[in-house]
Amino acid sequence: IVCPLTAQQATDVRDALARAIYSALFEWIVARVNATLNVDASGSGGSGDFGGGRTIGLLDIYGFECFEHNSLEQLLINLANERLQRHFNQQVIELVQAEYLAEGIEWTQIEWRDNAEVVELIDGRPHGRPGILAALSDTWRLSEAAADAHLLAELHQSFGGGGGGGGGGGV
């Protein structure tokens, strides 16, 4: 069947196809990660019950979210929120406390957990060390068997761990 389209319609169809491909790829990656971590995302204990397995969680500005089905868009939204939260913490907490210290103002020190490791794991580290997104981008063209080994090697090189390569301390 041939269906003539305007340039705008063709662009819309192309964009919809790209979103569908990325969504399917993301769902496949989540399934592979969950299978590797031995996570049962359909735990019977309600929201957040992952059957006692290990999980990877991202904290967004509003807290942890457990969806039955996550999307690539949700991952990217949470990653942007992680960056914003880190920037906020640095600007408000670190800089204000440094100013108080410099001016000799008495206050109670606020301790906060820097989320740089989570952001770097996904987004990449400074000085060109790729994160998960960059490693996946480099890997997608390879055959499935080669892709798994290549992705694992890249992540070990960037983040260390598991005896596979060595970037020093893992995340």
Side-chain angles (χ1 to χ4, degrees), residues 81-83 85-86 112-120:
N81 285 340
E82 287 287 333
R83 290 181 192 149
Q85 186 66 48
R86 183 162 194 265
W112 62 283
R113 177 148 162 65
D114 188 358
N115 65 0
E117 290 179 341
V118 173
V119 172
E120 291 171 356

Side-chain angles (χ1 to χ4, degrees), residues 83-117:
R83 290 181 192 149
L84 288 171
Q85 186 66 48
R86 183 162 194 265
H87 179 74
F88 173 83
N89 289 345
Q90 286 177 316
Q91 296 301 309
V92 173
I93 298 173
E94 282 183 9
L95 296 178
V96 169
Q97 289 187 142
E99 185 177 326
Y100 285 3
L101 184 63
E103 294 179 9
I105 298 173
E106 289 188 33
W107 87 101
T108 301
Q109 179 78 20
I110 298 172
E111 298 295 325
W112 62 283
R113 177 148 162 65
D114 188 358
N115 65 0
E117 290 179 341

